[in-house]
Amino acid sequence: MLQMSQYYEPEFKKKIVHLHLKEGRTLKGLAEEYGVSKASISIWTKQFREECQTNDEAQADYDYMKENLQLKKQLAELQKENDFLKKAAAFFAKEID
């Protein structure tokens, strides 16, 4: 059975692309949550990246999203390290007593 293609508003597409690029959400997760195919999200992301090549505002937005995602990953790693160090400090504090 052939499915009819569905029209999505540009704001909706932009929201999905932002969730993917800015927050690092997976294509699979977004597809399941919003009922959109992974291929569509991939195409929208590719179109956004192409738009960034010609539109300075879109390029700035894309750069911001990439930096934001990188900082979120770095923060998560530092939080893991901090939690480990807290546990190690508590362990060694018990050993001293």
Side-chain angles (χ1 to χ4, degrees):
M1 182 186 295
L2 196 57
Q3 267 190 338
M4 297 293 291
S5 61
Q6 187 171 351
Y7 174 78
Y8 295 100
E9 294 291 328
E11 295 82 21
F12 177 77
K13 292 178 182 181
K14 188 173 182 177
K15 176 183 175 182
I16 299 296
V17 170
H18 277 242
L19 288 172
H20 176 58
L21 296 176
K22 189 175 183 180
E23 297 184 13
R25 305 266 306 270
T26 64
L27 294 179
K28 181 180 178 183
L30 289 169
E32 290 173 358
E33 184 175 343
Y34 290 96
V36 179
S37 72
K38 292 189 301 184
S40 293
I41 298 171
S42 181
I43 290 169
W44 299 341
T45 303
K46 180 181 176 191
Q47 289 171 344
F48 177 73
R49 287 183 175 140
E50 288 172 355
E51 180 185 346
C52 291
Q53 302 300 318
T54 58
N55 184 334
D56 290 338
E57 185 178 319
Q59 180 63 44
D61 196 25
Y62 179 68
D63 291 341
Y64 170 76
M65 286 188 289
K66 278 180 32 179
E67 181 184 16
N68 191 21
L69 183 59
Q70 177 188 7
L71 291 172
K72 283 184 178 189
K73 288 179 181 179
Q74 185 179 11
L75 177 61
E77 182 64 30
L78 291 172
Q79 286 173 331
K80 286 179 189 177
E81 291 175 9
N82 195 23
D83 290 342
F84 174 78
L85 291 173
K86 285 180 184 179
K87 290 177 184 178
F91 173 77
F92 288 117
K94 279 198 274 185
E95 290 292 317
I96 293 174
D97 292 335

